[in-house]
Amino acid sequence: MNTKPSFGFGKLAEIQPTTPEPAPTNARDVDRAAEKLGFPSREVPTRRKRRTTVDEPTDQLNLRATITDINRFVEWCEAERMSYREGFGRLVSKIGQSDSQ
């Protein structure tokens, strides 16, 4: 008797293809399907910026400060719902006020 070993693949003929889901048609559905399959998006998310226009000329100031002071300033600006430029302007407007009191 000449029998070949099956190595556990004897039931391969019973496997039938399933009906595929329709392909997504928009980018959001494509991204969602890819994410479900474990493929993260390689597109860089765009940063949304809140723009407020100013009538006066502006310039840029870069400074080194302690992380504690920076965090406090950022938290204060967020709590007051204002930009860093507006927060800086509010602080600068206080210069000299305590001297006259």
Side-chain angles (χ1 to χ4, degrees):
M1 189 163 191
N2 191 5
T3 58
K4 295 182 180 179
S6 71
F7 298 106
F9 298 114
K11 297 186 179 187
L12 284 178
E14 297 174 11
I15 298 175
Q16 295 297 318
T18 58
T19 307
E21 294 181 20
T25 56
N26 63 31
R28 182 178 293 161
D29 290 340
V30 170
D31 288 342
R32 199 175 296 131
E35 197 169 306
K36 281 190 339 189
L37 294 172
F39 294 99
S41 175
R42 293 188 294 177
E43 295 177 12
V44 177
T46 56
R47 182 175 177 218
R48 186 173 162 219
K49 296 182 180 180
R50 182 175 61 149
R51 296 281 183 190
T52 54
T53 58
V54 191
D55 293 334
E56 348 177 15
T58 61
D59 200 355
Q60 184 170 334
L61 171 68
N62 295 314
L63 61 97
R64 294 181 62 84
T66 64
I67 292 176
T68 304
D69 289 342
I70 292 171
N71 288 343
R72 187 172 174 202
F73 176 74
V74 169
E75 288 169 6
W76 175 68
C77 287
E78 287 177 355
E80 296 292 319
R81 299 182 56 87
M82 63 182 153
S83 67
Y84 300 156
R85 180 187 50 78
E86 293 167 323
F88 181 76
R90 193 183 292 184
L91 292 176
V92 168
S93 70
K94 304 288 184 187
I95 294 175
Q97 286 186 357
S98 60
D99 295 339
S100 63
Q101 292 177 353

